[in-house]
Amino acid sequence: MTNCLFCKIVAKKIPAKIAYEDDKVLAFHDIGPQAPVHILIIPKKHISSISDLSGQDCEIMGYLHLIAKKLAKEYKIEKSGFRLVINNGADAGQAVSHIHLHMLGGRKLQWPPG
Ligand code: 5GP
Ligand code: ZN
């Protein structure tokens, strides 16, 4: 999608610190990290939000989690713990309408979230 920030990052029109990339997925460090490890894991295909998912997105949504597992190992937060978050819509504070998994770790995280 031409006017989407994360599609522009996928297309390398906007730079990002890339943590992982393959033909289906891109993972990059959040520009405003909320934890020592804060990586955004996105499908290269544009999907706006959880609310826009269809049945054909099941595989990619599962695959994002597999990449999270791999990155957790790489960034050494596999044992200490980490949180995966998808914000959906205004009340959750979704700012970018390209679905993304936040992977947060490297510090004790509070629950419930704010
Ligand atoms: P949301 O609020 O939509 O769940 O999360 C969007 C995230 O994208 C925020 O954590 C924000 O810091 C991050 N972000 C926004 N613009 C950029 C950018 O240009 N580059 C990177 N790496 N992260 C961004
Ligand atoms: Zn997009």
Side-chain angles (χ1 to χ4, degrees), residues 35-77:
V37 178
H38 187 173
I39 295 172
L40 302 174
I41 307 169
I42 70 168
K44 286 192 168 178
K45 171 194 166 187
H46 181 90
I47 303 168
S48 296
S49 71
I50 289 281
S51 297
D52 295 288
L53 285 176
S54 72
Q56 63 190 14
D57 300 320
C58 289
E59 195 176 325
I60 188 66
M61 292 310 292
Y63 187 53
L64 297 182
H65 290 76
L66 206 62
I67 300 305
K69 176 189 165 179
K70 173 186 161 58
L71 286 169
K73 216 175 216 175
E74 224 171 286
Y75 284 83
K76 305 195 187 323
I77 54 172

Side-chain angles (χ1 to χ4, degrees), residues 6 28 30 34-35 37-43 48-50 61 64-65 68-69 77 81-89 91-96 98-105 107 109-114:
F6 286 177
F28 52 95
D30 196 291
Q34 299 301 310
V37 178
H38 187 173
I39 295 172
L40 302 174
I41 307 169
I42 70 168
S48 296
S49 71
I50 289 281
M61 292 310 292
L64 297 182
H65 290 76
K69 176 189 165 179
I77 54 172
F82 58 92
R83 185 173 294 164
L84 300 176
V85 176
I86 298 178
N87 293 318
N88 189 82
D91 274 2
Q94 184 180 1
V96 179
H98 181 131
I99 206 164
H100 47 283
L101 205 57
H102 292 260
M103 188 171 81
L104 297 147
R107 69 168 171 84
L109 299 165
Q110 302 302 309
W111 192 264

